[in-house]
Amino acid sequence: MPKSPTAPFQFTSDDVRIESQETVFEGFFRMGRLRLSHARFAGGYTETIQRELFLRGDATCVLPYDPARDEVVLLEQFRPGALWRDQSPWLLELVAGMDEPGESAEEVAHREGEEEAGLRFARLEPICRYLVSPGGTTEMVRLFCGLISSEGAGGLYGLEAENEDIRAHVLSLAEALAMLDDGRINNAAAIIALQWLSIHRERLREAWQ
């Protein structure tokens, strides 16, 4: 049966005509500039458009969860992107790191768990993967929930060579969800992972104990 003309995902990358691509800045981050046209829903192609793009690698994030204690570990650290907002620029976030060439997402998760929080994940449950802000950056995030024991967790972590200054906090899941509800936790990866855990909590507590 033929697809409806209004069905989603009928276009692919083959329906984009890239005329030019260049790097316009390269420092701690890299910015590129594209000139392109793309297929239109009503038929034909757009005129040539120019877009700047934040060329960032993929990342892996993990929500550490202890099902026996019903506790999570969240990391507090400074984020310059939160400056000039009506809030503290120190955010509560997940264990997270950029994927290195040749590394699997699971390898990144285990590496960052050790470096950022002194944690070892006994199991990793995939949550989802998502594009962070595809109108302006290439970054894709892979999310996991990680099985831990929160006994003795918490403290100060981070690699001095990377100027990391991290405090790991142990919170009850109820506390973390309350922070989500009142807006104190307001970064995308933590929001998605905590909402997912609130849905799957009972299943994980049965499966992981």
Side-chain angles (χ1 to χ4, degrees), residues 67-93:
R69 293 178 173 81
D70 203 25
E71 292 178 334
V72 296
V73 175
L74 295 176
L75 310 185
E76 184 179 12
Q77 57 187 315
F78 171 73
R79 294 303 194 194
L83 284 168
W84 307 293
R85 301 288 180 181
D86 186 20
Q87 65 174 78
S88 170
W90 275 259
L91 306 185
L92 280 179
E93 303 178 325

mmCIF file with all atom_site columns, all heavy atoms in Angstrom, residues 67-93:
data_model
loop_
_atom_site.group_PDB
_atom_site.id
_atom_site.type_symbol
_atom_site.label_atom_id
_atom_site.label_alt_id
_atom_site.label_comp_id
_atom_site.label_asym_id
_atom_site.label_entity_id
_atom_site.label_seq_id
_atom_site.pdbx_PDB_ins_code
_atom_site.Cartn_x
_atom_site.Cartn_y
_atom_site.Cartn_z
_atom_site.occupancy
_atom_site.B_iso_or_equiv
_atom_site.pdbx_formal_charge
_atom_site.auth_seq_id
_atom_site.auth_comp_id
_atom_site.auth_asym_id
_atom_site.auth_atom_id
_atom_site.pdbx_PDB_model_num
ATOM 1   N N   . PRO A 1 67 ? 18.971 0.293  43.489 1.00 0.00 ? 67 PRO A N   1
ATOM 2   C CA  . PRO A 1 67 ? 17.581 -0.124 43.688 1.00 0.00 ? 67 PRO A CA  1
ATOM 3   C C   . PRO A 1 67 ? 17.285 -0.554 45.111 1.00 0.00 ? 67 PRO A C   1
ATOM 4   O O   . PRO A 1 67 ? 16.139 -0.435 45.574 1.00 0.00 ? 67 PRO A O   1
ATOM 5   C CB  . PRO A 1 67 ? 17.419 -1.287 42.707 1.00 0.00 ? 67 PRO A CB  1
ATOM 6   C CG  . PRO A 1 67 ? 18.796 -1.824 42.520 1.00 0.00 ? 67 PRO A CG  1
ATOM 7   C CD  . PRO A 1 67 ? 19.710 -0.644 42.620 1.00 0.00 ? 67 PRO A CD  1
ATOM 8   N N   . ALA A 1 68 ? 18.277 -1.046 45.837 1.00 0.00 ? 68 ALA A N   1
ATOM 9   C CA  . ALA A 1 68 ? 18.047 -1.482 47.215 1.00 0.00 ? 68 ALA A CA  1
ATOM 10  C C   . ALA A 1 68 ? 17.736 -0.285 48.115 1.00 0.00 ? 68 ALA A C   1
ATOM 11  O O   . ALA A 1 68 ? 16.836 -0.340 48.966 1.00 0.00 ? 68 ALA A O   1
ATOM 12  C CB  . ALA A 1 68 ? 19.253 -2.244 47.739 1.00 0.00 ? 68 ALA A CB  1
ATOM 13  N N   . ARG A 1 69 ? 18.470 0.792  47.945 1.00 0.00 ? 69 ARG A N   1
ATOM 14  C CA  . ARG A 1 69 ? 18.265 1.995  48.757 1.00 0.00 ? 69 ARG A CA  1
ATOM 15  C C   . ARG A 1 69 ? 17.333 2.992  48.074 1.00 0.00 ? 69 ARG A C   1
ATOM 16  O O   . ARG A 1 69 ? 16.951 3.999  48.675 1.00 0.00 ? 69 ARG A O   1
ATOM 17  C CB  . ARG A 1 69 ? 19.609 2.664  49.048 1.00 0.00 ? 69 ARG A CB  1
ATOM 18  C CG  . ARG A 1 69 ? 20.526 1.839  49.947 1.00 0.00 ? 69 ARG A CG  1
ATOM 19  C CD  . ARG A 1 69 ? 21.866 2.558  50.131 1.00 0.00 ? 69 ARG A CD  1
ATOM 20  N NE  . ARG A 1 69 ? 22.713 1.891  51.109 1.00 0.00 ? 69 ARG A NE  1
ATOM 21  C CZ  . ARG A 1 69 ? 23.459 0.811  50.852 1.00 0.00 ? 69 ARG A CZ  1
ATOM 22  N NH1 . ARG A 1 69 ? 23.452 0.287  49.632 1.00 0.00 ? 69 ARG A NH1 1
ATOM 23  N NH2 . ARG A 1 69 ? 24.193 0.258  51.790 1.00 0.00 ? 69 ARG A NH2 1
ATOM 24  N N   . ASP A 1 70 ? 16.987 2.746  46.839 1.00 0.00 ? 70 ASP A N   1
ATOM 25  C CA  . ASP A 1 70 ? 16.168 3.663  46.040 1.00 0.00 ? 70 ASP A CA  1
ATOM 26  C C   . ASP A 1 70 ? 16.811 5.048  46.001 1.00 0.00 ? 70 ASP A C   1
ATOM 27  O O   . ASP A 1 70 ? 16.156 6.067  46.212 1.00 0.00 ? 70 ASP A O   1
ATOM 28  C CB  . ASP A 1 70 ? 14.743 3.737  46.592 1.00 0.00 ? 70 ASP A CB  1
ATOM 29  C CG  . ASP A 1 70 ? 13.725 4.188  45.533 1.00 0.00 ? 70 ASP A CG  1
ATOM 30  O OD1 . ASP A 1 70 ? 13.991 3.985  44.325 1.00 0.00 ? 70 ASP A OD1 1
ATOM 31  O OD2 . ASP A 1 70 ? 12.675 4.737  45.916 1.00 0.00 ? 70 ASP A OD2 1
ATOM 32  N N   . GLU A 1 71 ? 18.124 5.057  45.712 1.00 0.00 ? 71 GLU A N   1
ATOM 33  C CA  . GLU A 1 71 ? 18.899 6.285  45.678 1.00 0.00 ? 71 GLU A CA  1
ATOM 34  C C   . GLU A 1 71 ? 19.590 6.457  44.334 1.00 0.00 ? 71 GLU A C   1
ATOM 35  O O   . GLU A 1 71 ? 19.938 5.467  43.676 1.00 0.00 ? 71 GLU A O   1
ATOM 36  C CB  . GLU A 1 71 ? 19.959 6.288  46.793 1.00 0.00 ? 71 GLU A CB  1
ATOM 37  C CG  . GLU A 1 71 ? 19.371 6.372  48.196 1.00 0.00 ? 71 GLU A CG  1
ATOM 38  C CD  . GLU A 1 71 ? 20.432 6.328  49.270 1.00 0.00 ? 71 GLU A CD  1
ATOM 39  O OE1 . GLU A 1 71 ? 21.536 5.763  49.029 1.00 0.00 ? 71 GLU A OE1 1
ATOM 40  O OE2 . GLU A 1 71 ? 20.174 6.851  50.371 1.00 0.00 ? 71 GLU A OE2 1
ATOM 41  N N   . VAL A 1 72 ? 19.819 7.706  43.971 1.00 0.00 ? 72 VAL A N   1
ATOM 42  C CA  . VAL A 1 72 ? 20.571 8.031  42.758 1.00 0.00 ? 72 VAL A CA  1
ATOM 43  C C   . VAL A 1 72 ? 21.780 8.872  43.159 1.00 0.00 ? 72 VAL A C   1
ATOM 44  O O   . VAL A 1 72 ? 21.819 9.457  44.245 1.00 0.00 ? 72 VAL A O   1
ATOM 45  C CB  . VAL A 1 72 ? 19.715 8.804  41.733 1.00 0.00 ? 72 VAL A CB  1
ATOM 46  C CG1 . VAL A 1 72 ? 18.559 7.956  41.241 1.00 0.00 ? 72 VAL A CG1 1
ATOM 47  C CG2 . VAL A 1 72 ? 19.209 10.124 42.309 1.00 0.00 ? 72 VAL A CG2 1
ATOM 48  N N   . VAL A 1 73 ? 22.770 8.910  42.278 1.00 0.00 ? 73 VAL A N   1
ATOM 49  C CA  . VAL A 1 73 ? 23.934 9.776  42.463 1.00 0.00 ? 73 VAL A CA  1
ATOM 50  C C   . VAL A 1 73 ? 23.916 10.809 41.340 1.00 0.00 ? 73 VAL A C   1
ATOM 51  O O   . VAL A 1 73 ? 23.871 10.451 40.155 1.00 0.00 ? 73 VAL A O   1
ATOM 52  C CB  . VAL A 1 73 ? 25.251 8.981  42.435 1.00 0.00 ? 73 VAL A CB  1
ATOM 53  C CG1 . VAL A 1 73 ? 26.451 9.930  42.519 1.00 0.00 ? 73 VAL A CG1 1
ATOM 54  C CG2 . VAL A 1 73 ? 25.289 7.974  43.584 1.00 0.00 ? 73 VAL A CG2 1
ATOM 55  N N   . LEU A 1 74 ? 23.925 12.081 41.717 1.00 0.00 ? 74 LEU A N   1
ATOM 56  C CA  . LEU A 1 74 ? 23.964 13.169 40.750 1.00 0.00 ? 74 LEU A CA  1
ATOM 57  C C   . LEU A 1 74 ? 25.197 14.022 41.006 1.00 0.00 ? 74 LEU A C   1
ATOM 58  O O   . LEU A 1 74 ? 25.646 14.157 42.151 1.00 0.00 ? 74 LEU A O   1
ATOM 59  C CB  . LEU A 1 74 ? 22.697 14.024 40.847 1.00 0.00 ? 74 LEU A CB  1
ATOM 60  C CG  . LEU A 1 74 ? 21.386 13.322 40.469 1.00 0.00 ? 74 LEU A CG  1
ATOM 61  C CD1 . LEU A 1 74 ? 20.202 14.249 40.703 1.00 0.00 ? 74 LEU A CD1 1
ATOM 62  C CD2 . LEU A 1 74 ? 21.409 12.845 39.026 1.00 0.00 ? 74 LEU A CD2 1
ATOM 63  N N   . LEU A 1 75 ? 25.732 14.606 39.950 1.00 0.00 ? 75 LEU A N   1
ATOM 64  C CA  . LEU A 1 75 ? 26.988 15.342 40.015 1.00 0.00 ? 75 LEU A CA  1
ATOM 65  C C   . LEU A 1 75 ? 26.739 16.836 39.885 1.00 0.00 ? 75 LEU A C   1
ATOM 66  O O   . LEU A 1 75 ? 26.025 17.284 38.979 1.00 0.00 ? 75 LEU A O   1
ATOM 67  C CB  . LEU A 1 75 ? 27.932 14.887 38.902 1.00 0.00 ? 75 LEU A CB  1
ATOM 68  C CG  . LEU A 1 75 ? 28.144 13.377 38.770 1.00 0.00 ? 75 LEU A CG  1
ATOM 69  C CD1 . LEU A 1 75 ? 29.187 13.104 37.706 1.00 0.00 ? 75 LEU A CD1 1
ATOM 70  C CD2 . LEU A 1 75 ? 28.539 12.754 40.099 1.00 0.00 ? 75 LEU A CD2 1
ATOM 71  N N   . GLU A 1 76 ? 27.352 17.594 40.786 1.00 0.00 ? 76 GLU A N   1
ATOM 72  C CA  . GLU A 1 76 ? 27.236 19.049 40.751 1.00 0.00 ? 76 GLU A CA  1
ATOM 73  C C   . GLU A 1 76 ? 28.526 19.637 40.210 1.00 0.00 ? 76 GLU A C   1
ATOM 74  O O   . GLU A 1 76 ? 29.618 19.328 40.698 1.00 0.00 ? 76 GLU A O   1
ATOM 75  C CB  . GLU A 1 76 ? 26.975 19.580 42.158 1.00 0.00 ? 76 GLU A CB  1
ATOM 76  C CG  . GLU A 1 76 ? 26.746 21.083 42.207 1.00 0.00 ? 76 GLU A CG  1
ATOM 77  C CD  . GLU A 1 76 ? 26.459 21.581 43.609 1.00 0.00 ? 76 GLU A CD  1
ATOM 78  O OE1 . GLU A 1 76 ? 26.653 20.809 44.577 1.00 0.00 ? 76 GLU A OE1 1
ATOM 79  O OE2 . GLU A 1 76 ? 26.051 22.754 43.741 1.00 0.00 ? 76 GLU A OE2 1
ATOM 80  N N   . GLN A 1 77 ? 28.402 20.477 39.170 1.00 0.00 ? 77 GLN A N   1
ATOM 81  C CA  . GLN A 1 77 ? 29.570 21.139 38.622 1.00 0.00 ? 77 GLN A CA  1
ATOM 82  C C   . GLN A 1 77 ? 29.177 22.415 37.893 1.00 0.00 ? 77 GLN A C   1
ATOM 83  O O   . GLN A 1 77 ? 28.010 22.592 37.501 1.00 0.00 ? 77 GLN A O   1
ATOM 84  C CB  . GLN A 1 77 ? 30.384 20.220 37.717 1.00 0.00 ? 77 GLN A CB  1
ATOM 85  C CG  . GLN A 1 77 ? 29.638 19.620 36.547 1.00 0.00 ? 77 GLN A CG  1
ATOM 86  C CD  . GLN A 1 77 ? 30.491 18.597 35.811 1.00 0.00 ? 77 GLN A CD  1
ATOM 87  O OE1 . GLN A 1 77 ? 31.668 18.821 35.541 1.00 0.00 ? 77 GLN A OE1 1
ATOM 88  N NE2 . GLN A 1 77 ? 29.911 17.455 35.501 1.00 0.00 ? 77 GLN A NE2 1
ATOM 89  N N   . PHE A 1 78 ? 30.150 23.294 37.724 1.00 0.00 ? 78 PHE A N   1
ATOM 90  C CA  . PHE A 1 78 ? 29.920 24.582 37.073 1.00 0.00 ? 78 PHE A CA  1
ATOM 91  C C   . PHE A 1 78 ? 29.750 24.410 35.565 1.00 0.00 ? 78 PHE A C   1
ATOM 92  O O   . PHE A 1 78 ? 30.504 23.677 34.924 1.00 0.00 ? 78 PHE A O   1
ATOM 93  C CB  . PHE A 1 78 ? 31.109 25.506 37.351 1.00 0.00 ? 78 PHE A CB  1
ATOM 94  C CG  . PHE A 1 78 ? 31.087 26.779 36.553 1.00 0.00 ? 78 PHE A CG  1
ATOM 95  C CD1 . PHE A 1 78 ? 30.188 27.789 36.849 1.00 0.00 ? 78 PHE A CD1 1
ATOM 96  C CD2 . PHE A 1 78 ? 31.966 26.959 35.488 1.00 0.00 ? 78 PHE A CD2 1
ATOM 97  C CE1 . PHE A 1 78 ? 30.165 28.965 36.113 1.00 0.00 ? 78 PHE A CE1 1
ATOM 98  C CE2 . PHE A 1 78 ? 31.953 28.130 34.747 1.00 0.00 ? 78 PHE A CE2 1
ATOM 99  C CZ  . PHE A 1 78 ? 31.048 29.134 35.061 1.00 0.00 ? 78 PHE A CZ  1
ATOM 100 N N   . ARG A 1 79 ? 28.760 25.133 35.003 1.00 0.00 ? 79 ARG A N   1
ATOM 101 C CA  . ARG A 1 79 ? 28.507 25.105 33.561 1.00 0.00 ? 79 ARG A CA  1
ATOM 102 C C   . ARG A 1 79 ? 28.359 26.537 33.045 1.00 0.00 ? 79 ARG A C   1
ATOM 103 O O   . ARG A 1 79 ? 27.395 27.233 33.392 1.00 0.00 ? 79 ARG A O   1
ATOM 104 C CB  . ARG A 1 79 ? 27.236 24.308 33.253 1.00 0.00 ? 79 ARG A CB  1
ATOM 105 C CG  . ARG A 1 79 ? 27.327 22.821 33.566 1.00 0.00 ? 79 ARG A CG  1
ATOM 106 C CD  . ARG A 1 79 ? 28.471 22.161 32.842 1.00 0.00 ? 79 ARG A CD  1
ATOM 107 N NE  . ARG A 1 79 ? 28.389 20.705 32.854 1.00 0.00 ? 79 ARG A NE  1
ATOM 108 C CZ  . ARG A 1 79 ? 29.390 19.914 32.523 1.00 0.00 ? 79 ARG A CZ  1
ATOM 109 N NH1 . ARG A 1 79 ? 30.567 20.447 32.170 1.00 0.00 ? 79 ARG A NH1 1
ATOM 110 N NH2 . ARG A 1 79 ? 29.248 18.607 32.544 1.00 0.00 ? 79 ARG A NH2 1
ATOM 111 N N   . PRO A 1 80 ? 29.295 27.013 32.210 1.00 0.00 ? 80 PRO A N   1
ATOM 112 C CA  . PRO A 1 80 ? 29.223 28.403 31.749 1.00 0.00 ? 80 PRO A CA  1
ATOM 113 C C   . PRO A 1 80 ? 27.979 28.709 30.923 1.00 0.00 ? 80 PRO A C   1
ATOM 114 O O   . PRO A 1 80 ? 27.542 29.868 30.872 1.00 0.00 ? 80 PRO A O   1
ATOM 115 C CB  . PRO A 1 80 ? 30.502 28.568 30.919 1.00 0.00 ? 80 PRO A CB  1
ATOM 116 C CG  . PRO A 1 80 ? 30.916 27.183 30.536 1.00 0.00 ? 80 PRO A CG  1
ATOM 117 C CD  . PRO A 1 80 ? 30.478 26.315 31.677 1.00 0.00 ? 80 PRO A CD  1
ATOM 118 N N   . GLY A 1 81 ? 27.399 27.695 30.291 1.00 0.00 ? 81 GLY A N   1
ATOM 119 C CA  . GLY A 1 81 ? 26.186 27.924 29.511 1.00 0.00 ? 81 GLY A CA  1
ATOM 120 C C   . GLY A 1 81 ? 24.986 28.313 30.350 1.00 0.00 ? 81 GLY A C   1
ATOM 121 O O   . GLY A 1 81 ? 23.971 28.779 29.816 1.00 0.00 ? 81 GLY A O   1
ATOM 122 N N   . ALA A 1 82 ? 25.078 28.138 31.675 1.00 0.00 ? 82 ALA A N   1
ATOM 123 C CA  . ALA A 1 82 ? 23.984 28.525 32.570 1.00 0.00 ? 82 ALA A CA  1
ATOM 124 C C   . ALA A 1 82 ? 24.188 29.892 33.200 1.00 0.00 ? 82 ALA A C   1
ATOM 125 O O   . ALA A 1 82 ? 23.356 30.334 33.999 1.00 0.00 ? 82 ALA A O   1
ATOM 126 C CB  . ALA A 1 82 ? 23.813 27.468 33.665 1.00 0.00 ? 82 ALA A CB  1
ATOM 127 N N   . LEU A 1 83 ? 25.278 30.575 32.857 1.00 0.00 ? 83 LEU A N   1
ATOM 128 C CA  . LEU A 1 83 ? 25.475 31.944 33.329 1.00 0.00 ? 83 LEU A CA  1
ATOM 129 C C   . LEU A 1 83 ? 24.392 32.861 32.748 1.00 0.00 ? 83 LEU A C   1
ATOM 130 O O   . LEU A 1 83 ? 23.844 32.602 31.668 1.00 0.00 ? 83 LEU A O   1
ATOM 131 C CB  . LEU A 1 83 ? 26.853 32.454 32.914 1.00 0.00 ? 83 LEU A CB  1
ATOM 132 C CG  . LEU A 1 83 ? 28.059 31.929 33.708 1.00 0.00 ? 83 LEU A CG  1
ATOM 133 C CD1 . LEU A 1 83 ? 29.353 32.289 32.998 1.00 0.00 ? 83 LEU A CD1 1
ATOM 134 C CD2 . LEU A 1 83 ? 28.058 32.502 35.131 1.00 0.00 ? 83 LEU A CD2 1
ATOM 135 N N   . TRP A 1 84 ? 24.087 33.921 33.471 1.00 0.00 ? 84 TRP A N   1
ATOM 136 C CA  . TRP A 1 84 ? 23.114 34.931 33.042 1.00 0.00 ? 84 TRP A CA  1
ATOM 137 C C   . TRP A 1 84 ? 21.683 34.390 32.992 1.00 0.00 ? 84 TRP A C   1
ATOM 138 O O   . TRP A 1 84 ? 20.809 34.965 32.344 1.00 0.00 ? 84 TRP A O   1
ATOM 139 C CB  . TRP A 1 84 ? 23.504 35.546 31.687 1.00 0.00 ? 84 TRP A CB  1
ATOM 140 C CG  . TRP A 1 84 ? 24.903 36.062 31.718 1.00 0.00 ? 84 TRP A CG  1
ATOM 141 C CD1 . TRP A 1 84 ? 25.383 37.108 32.450 1.00 0.00 ? 84 TRP A CD1 1
ATOM 142 C CD2 . TRP A 1 84 ? 26.031 35.528 31.020 1.00 0.00 ? 84 TRP A CD2 1
ATOM 143 N NE1 . TRP A 1 84 ? 26.741 37.257 32.252 1.00 0.00 ? 84 TRP A NE1 1
ATOM 144 C CE2 . TRP A 1 84 ? 27.172 36.307 31.373 1.00 0.00 ? 84 TRP A CE2 1
ATOM 145 C CE3 . TRP A 1 84 ? 26.196 34.475 30.118 1.00 0.00 ? 84 TRP A CE3 1
ATOM 146 C CZ2 . TRP A 1 84 ? 28.427 36.062 30.870 1.00 0.00 ? 84 TRP A CZ2 1
ATOM 147 C CZ3 . TRP A 1 84 ? 27.455 34.224 29.620 1.00 0.00 ? 84 TRP A CZ3 1
ATOM 148 C CH2 . TRP A 1 84 ? 28.559 35.012 29.988 1.00 0.00 ? 84 TRP A CH2 1
ATOM 149 N N   . ARG A 1 85 ? 21.463 33.287 33.674 1.00 0.00 ? 85 ARG A N   1
ATOM 150 C CA  . ARG A 1 85 ? 20.097 32.780 33.869 1.00 0.00 ? 85 ARG A CA  1
ATOM 151 C C   . ARG A 1 85 ? 19.681 33.069 35.308 1.00 0.00 ? 85 ARG A C   1
ATOM 152 O O   . ARG A 1 85 ? 20.522 33.350 36.165 1.00 0.00 ? 85 ARG A O   1
ATOM 153 C CB  . ARG A 1 85 ? 20.022 31.275 33.598 1.00 0.00 ? 85 ARG A CB  1
ATOM 154 C CG  . ARG A 1 85 ? 20.431 30.860 32.201 1.00 0.00 ? 85 ARG A CG  1
ATOM 155 C CD  . ARG A 1 85 ? 19.396 31.253 31.186 1.00 0.00 ? 85 ARG A CD  1
ATOM 156 N NE  . ARG A 1 85 ? 19.783 30.863 29.837 1.00 0.00 ? 85 ARG A NE  1
ATOM 157 C CZ  . ARG A 1 85 ? 19.037 31.112 28.763 1.00 0.00 ? 85 ARG A CZ  1
ATOM 158 N NH1 . ARG A 1 85 ? 17.893 31.754 28.876 1.00 0.00 ? 85 ARG A NH1 1
ATOM 159 N NH2 . ARG A 1 85 ? 19.447 30.730 27.566 1.00 0.00 ? 85 ARG A NH2 1
ATOM 160 N N   . ASP A 1 86 ? 18.410 32.967 35.571 1.00 0.00 ? 86 ASP A N   1
ATOM 161 C CA  . ASP A 1 86 ? 17.908 33.217 36.923 1.00 0.00 ? 86 ASP A CA  1
ATOM 162 C C   . ASP A 1 86 ? 18.055 31.945 37.759 1.00 0.00 ? 86 ASP A C   1
ATOM 163 O O   . ASP A 1 86 ? 17.072 31.364 38.230 1.00 0.00 ? 86 ASP A O   1
ATOM 164 C CB  . ASP A 1 86 ? 16.441 33.662 36.846 1.00 0.00 ? 86 ASP A CB  1
ATOM 165 C CG  . ASP A 1 86 ? 15.907 34.072 38.209 1.00 0.00 ? 86 ASP A CG  1
ATOM 166 O OD1 . ASP A 1 86 ? 16.729 34.374 39.102 1.00 0.00 ? 86 ASP A OD1 1
ATOM 167 O OD2 . ASP A 1 86 ? 14.676 34.063 38.390 1.00 0.00 ? 86 ASP A OD2 1
ATOM 168 N N   . GLN A 1 87 ? 19.311 31.494 37.911 1.00 0.00 ? 87 GLN A N   1
ATOM 169 C CA  . GLN A 1 87 ? 19.597 30.274 38.647 1.00 0.00 ? 87 GLN A CA  1
ATOM 170 C C   . GLN A 1 87 ? 21.098 30.201 38.875 1.00 0.00 ? 87 GLN A C   1
ATOM 171 O O   . GLN A 1 87 ? 21.865 30.984 38.327 1.00 0.00 ? 87 GLN A O   1
ATOM 172 C CB  . GLN A 1 87 ? 19.163 29.038 37.846 1.00 0.00 ? 87 GLN A CB  1
ATOM 173 C CG  . GLN A 1 87 ? 19.960 28.846 36.551 1.00 0.00 ? 87 GLN A CG  1
ATOM 174 C CD  . GLN A 1 87 ? 19.636 27.554 35.838 1.00 0.00 ? 87 GLN A CD  1
ATOM 175 O OE1 . GLN A 1 87 ? 18.622 27.465 35.177 1.00 0.00 ? 87 GLN A OE1 1
ATOM 176 N NE2 . GLN A 1 87 ? 20.485 26.560 35.999 1.00 0.00 ? 87 GLN A NE2 1
ATOM 177 N N   . SER A 1 88 ? 21.509 29.227 39.687 1.00 0.00 ? 88 SER A N   1
ATOM 178 C CA  . SER A 1 88 ? 22.940 28.981 39.866 1.00 0.00 ? 88 SER A CA  1
ATOM 179 C C   . SER A 1 88 ? 23.512 28.322 38.615 1.00 0.00 ? 88 SER A C   1
ATOM 180 O O   . SER A 1 88 ? 22.866 27.457 38.015 1.00 0.00 ? 88 SER A O   1
ATOM 181 C CB  . SER A 1 88 ? 23.155 28.055 41.068 1.00 0.00 ? 88 SER A CB  1
ATOM 182 O OG  . SER A 1 88 ? 24.515 27.630 41.118 1.00 0.00 ? 88 SER A OG  1
ATOM 183 N N   . PRO A 1 89 ? 24.743 28.694 38.208 1.00 0.00 ? 89 PRO A N   1
ATOM 184 C CA  . PRO A 1 89 ? 25.392 27.990 37.091 1.00 0.00 ? 89 PRO A CA  1
ATOM 185 C C   . PRO A 1 89 ? 26.055 26.680 37.519 1.00 0.00 ? 89 PRO A C   1
ATOM 186 O O   . PRO A 1 89 ? 26.732 26.058 36.716 1.00 0.00 ? 89 PRO A O   1
ATOM 187 C CB  . PRO A 1 89 ? 26.408 29.007 36.580 1.00 0.00 ? 89 PRO A CB  1
ATOM 188 C CG  . PRO A 1 89 ? 26.751 29.827 37.771 1.00 0.00 ? 89 PRO A CG  1
ATOM 189 C CD  . PRO A 1 89 ? 25.506 29.894 38.609 1.00 0.00 ? 89 PRO A CD  1
ATOM 190 N N   . TRP A 1 90 ? 25.897 26.277 38.773 1.00 0.00 ? 90 TRP A N   1
ATOM 191 C CA  . TRP A 1 90 ? 26.292 24.930 39.203 1.00 0.00 ? 90 TRP A CA  1
ATOM 192 C C   . TRP A 1 90 ? 25.059 24.042 39.081 1.00 0.00 ? 90 TRP A C   1
ATOM 193 O O   . TRP A 1 90 ? 24.035 24.295 39.716 1.00 0.00 ? 90 TRP A O   1
ATOM 194 C CB  . TRP A 1 90 ? 26.809 24.937 40.641 1.00 0.00 ? 90 TRP A CB  1
ATOM 195 C CG  . TRP A 1 90 ? 28.261 25.293 40.740 1.00 0.00 ? 90 TRP A CG  1
ATOM 196 C CD1 . TRP A 1 90 ? 29.298 24.423 40.904 1.00 0.00 ? 90 TRP A CD1 1
ATOM 197 C CD2 . TRP A 1 90 ? 28.842 26.597 40.696 1.00 0.00 ? 90 TRP A CD2 1
ATOM 198 N NE1 . TRP A 1 90 ? 30.498 25.094 40.947 1.00 0.00 ? 90 TRP A NE1 1
ATOM 199 C CE2 . TRP A 1 90 ? 30.250 26.443 40.822 1.00 0.00 ? 90 TRP A CE2 1
ATOM 200 C CE3 . TRP A 1 90 ? 28.320 27.890 40.553 1.00 0.00 ? 90 TRP A CE3 1
ATOM 201 C CZ2 . TRP A 1 90 ? 31.125 27.524 40.812 1.00 0.00 ? 90 TRP A CZ2 1
ATOM 202 C CZ3 . TRP A 1 90 ? 29.192 28.963 40.542 1.00 0.00 ? 90 TRP A CZ3 1
ATOM 203 C CH2 . TRP A 1 90 ? 30.578 28.772 40.675 1.00 0.00 ? 90 TRP A CH2 1
ATOM 204 N N   . LEU A 1 91 ? 25.145 23.021 38.230 1.00 0.00 ? 91 LEU A N   1
ATOM 205 C CA  . LEU A 1 91 ? 23.996 22.175 37.911 1.00 0.00 ? 91 LEU A CA  1
ATOM 206 C C   . LEU A 1 91 ? 24.156 20.787 38.513 1.00 0.00 ? 91 LEU A C   1
ATOM 207 O O   . LEU A 1 91 ? 25.268 20.304 38.727 1.00 0.00 ? 91 LEU A O   1
ATOM 208 C CB  . LEU A 1 91 ? 23.848 22.046 36.386 1.00 0.00 ? 91 LEU A CB  1
ATOM 209 C CG  . LEU A 1 91 ? 23.770 23.335 35.569 1.00 0.00 ? 91 LEU A CG  1
ATOM 210 C CD1 . LEU A 1 91 ? 23.510 23.001 34.109 1.00 0.00 ? 91 LEU A CD1 1
ATOM 211 C CD2 . LEU A 1 91 ? 22.710 24.277 36.104 1.00 0.00 ? 91 LEU A CD2 1
ATOM 212 N N   . LEU A 1 92 ? 23.026 20.130 38.741 1.00 0.00 ? 92 LEU A N   1
ATOM 213 C CA  . LEU A 1 92 ? 23.015 18.715 39.106 1.00 0.00 ? 92 LEU A CA  1
ATOM 214 C C   . LEU A 1 92 ? 22.794 17.911 37.838 1.00 0.00 ? 92 LEU A C   1
ATOM 215 O O   . LEU A 1 92 ? 21.767 18.072 37.164 1.00 0.00 ? 92 LEU A O   1
ATOM 216 C CB  . LEU A 1 92 ? 21.909 18.416 40.126 1.00 0.00 ? 92 LEU A CB  1
ATOM 217 C CG  . LEU A 1 92 ? 22.201 18.754 41.577 1.00 0.00 ? 92 LEU A CG  1
ATOM 218 C CD1 . LEU A 1 92 ? 20.987 18.408 42.445 1.00 0.00 ? 92 LEU A CD1 1
ATOM 219 C CD2 . LEU A 1 92 ? 23.435 18.022 42.093 1.00 0.00 ? 92 LEU A CD2 1
ATOM 220 N N   . GLU A 1 93 ? 23.745 17.037 37.528 1.00 0.00 ? 93 GLU A N   1
ATOM 221 C CA  . GLU A 1 93 ? 23.745 16.341 36.244 1.00 0.00 ? 93 GLU A CA  1
ATOM 222 C C   . GLU A 1 93 ? 24.033 14.852 36.430 1.00 0.00 ? 93 GLU A C   1
ATOM 223 O O   . GLU A 1 93 ? 24.304 14.376 37.533 1.00 0.00 ? 93 GLU A O   1
ATOM 224 C CB  . GLU A 1 93 ? 24.817 16.941 35.329 1.00 0.00 ? 93 GLU A CB  1
ATOM 225 C CG  . GLU A 1 93 ? 24.670 18.432 35.095 1.00 0.00 ? 93 GLU A CG  1
ATOM 226 C CD  . GLU A 1 93 ? 25.780 18.979 34.228 1.00 0.00 ? 93 GLU A CD  1
ATOM 227 O OE1 . GLU A 1 93 ? 26.927 18.499 34.334 1.00 0.00 ? 93 GLU A OE1 1
ATOM 228 O OE2 . GLU A 1 93 ? 25.502 19.894 33.442 1.00 0.00 ? 93 GLU A OE2 1
#
